[in-house]
Amino acid sequence: MNHVLFNSDAIDMMRQLQDNSVTMTLTDIPYAVINREGGIRNMDKGDADVLTFDLHDFVEEIIRVTSGSIYIFCSSEQVSGIRKQLDDRLTTRHCIWEKTNPSPMHGQRFWLSSIENCVFARKAKATFNEHCQSAVWRESVERSIKNHPTPKSVLLMKRLIEASTNPNDIVLDPCMGSGSVGIACKLTDRQFWGCDISPEYVTAAKERIDCLDIEDNPWIKKLRKREKL
Ligand SMILES: C[S@@+](CC[C@H](N)C(=O)[O-])C[C@H]1O[C@@H](n2cnc3c(N)ncnc32)[C@H](O)[C@@H]1O
């Protein structure tokens, strides 16, 4: 299966792609927060959380290059702007990832931070292989990933890929970080085109995707057992 990893700015990379050249875009952008004065407040996860591109241009490029479905994980502050931009032309849904094992707060009297937001949009002829499923996705956080501060659940990525593509289709993640979407593509026989501006994360993603070939990798064994792969 064809997997291509780019070390580049996401918008520059997408500008090299033809219209509708990927089946699905599944991405997880830096969760920087826009403050009341309109400035950007980056969160506390280091470089991975710094919004280094114009979000409007980024979403425009995703709409142009994607022929089927679009999933953009983002902060709650980013949801309405992204959804409004997509809503003008596509059918959209606000989806939630409910983490079934959220981080504990050491007894504090407060609700746990146990959800993440995702804006979904689809073009008219997009594949959709699930029927009447909730837009709240329940899946655990994989805490064993040490090479990125904000990795997404491979099992959740796998579910979304299987819902919105077929084998051999191309899935793009222009902000791939440690490559969770790429691993899910490899497990499901989809082609993966991934990009990250950080050379360290591109290396980390390559190592994680390549290590799937190592049959005695304990994490992969656990995943395969649970998923009956
Ligand atoms: C929230 S993280 C993605 C984490 C990923 N889903 C995973 O499972 O590891 C966002 C990523 O966007 C990358 N990024 C930030 N600015 C970028 C840009 N201009 N072009 C491409 N990637 C960028 C960061 O380096 C970071 O790895």
Side-chain angles (χ1 to χ4, degrees):
M1 197 55 62
N2 193 14
H3 302 293
V4 191
L5 307 189
F6 301 87
N7 177 208
S8 162
D9 170 72
I11 297 177
D12 288 349
M13 186 278 243
M14 288 191 282
R15 285 191 175 136
Q16 310 299 316
L17 305 181
Q18 293 182 350
D19 294 0
N20 300 311
S21 54
V22 304
T23 315
M24 169 185 187
T25 297
L26 170 55
T27 197
D28 172 28
I29 64 174
Y31 283 16
V33 172
I34 311 293
N35 64 29
R36 282 166 204 239
E37 289 75 44
I40 294 174
R41 177 170 67 80
N42 291 307
M43 310 275 281
D44 57 357
K45 304 275 182 183
D47 288 351
D49 234 359
V50 179
L51 194 62
T52 59
F53 48 77
D54 182 295
L55 192 48
H56 187 274
D57 291 353
F58 177 83
V59 174
E60 282 307 304
E61 280 305 306
I62 289 178
I63 296 171
R64 184 183 68 75
V65 301
T66 309
S67 65
S69 294
I70 296 169
Y71 294 78
I72 304 177
F73 282 85
C74 57
S75 65
S76 49
E77 290 81 358
Q78 292 163 328
V79 167
S80 59
I82 294 174
R83 192 163 182 201
K84 185 171 183 311
Q85 189 177 347
L86 291 164
D87 245 347
D88 290 344
R89 283 158 286 174
L90 307 173
T91 315
T92 70
R93 190 74 79 219
H94 180 181
C95 304
I96 300 285
W97 170 25
E98 181 189 355
K99 300 172 186 177
T100 53
N101 58 342
S103 299
M105 291 184 69
H106 309 295
Q108 283 184 47
R109 292 175 183 271
F110 202 51
W111 300 113
L112 291 174
S113 174
S114 59
I115 63 165
E116 292 204 22
N117 298 278
C118 179
V119 179
F120 168 73
R122 55 182 290 192
K123 290 191 174 173
K125 292 186 179 162
T127 299
F128 204 71
N129 295 323
E130 292 209 20
H131 299 279
C132 301
Q133 295 295 322
S134 170
V136 177
W137 309 314
R138 302 190 78 243
E139 188 53 73
S140 58
V141 179
E142 285 144 26
R143 299 200 195 287
S144 57
I145 311 306
K146 303 285 182 225
N147 50 11
H148 198 283
T150 61
K152 283 286 171 289
S153 155
V154 170
L155 292 180
L156 178 59
M157 300 301 105
K158 181 173 171 293
R159 177 178 173 199
L160 305 181
I161 288 166
E162 287 176 327
S164 293
T165 60
N166 294 311
N168 295 319
D169 283 346
I170 299 173
V171 179
L172 169 69
D173 183 352
C175 289
M176 70 175 164
S178 62
S180 305
V181 173
I183 294 172
C185 284
K186 193 162 176 183
L187 291 169
T188 55
D189 294 326
R190 271 64 168 178
Q191 300 181 58
F192 175 58
W193 294 359
C195 173
D196 202 285
I197 200 162
S198 151
E200 288 78 21
Y201 292 148
V202 175
T203 303
K206 185 172 181 327
E207 282 170 1
R208 277 184 83 204
I209 294 168
D210 285 352
C211 93
L212 287 192
D213 294 333
I214 302 168
E215 282 304 317
D216 61 359
N217 180 296
W219 180 77
I220 298 301
K221 271 188 177 166
K222 204 168 125 195
L223 184 71
R224 288 198 163 130
K225 192 170 167 198
R226 180 174 153 189
E227 282 288 288
K228 300 187 178 60
L229 291 170

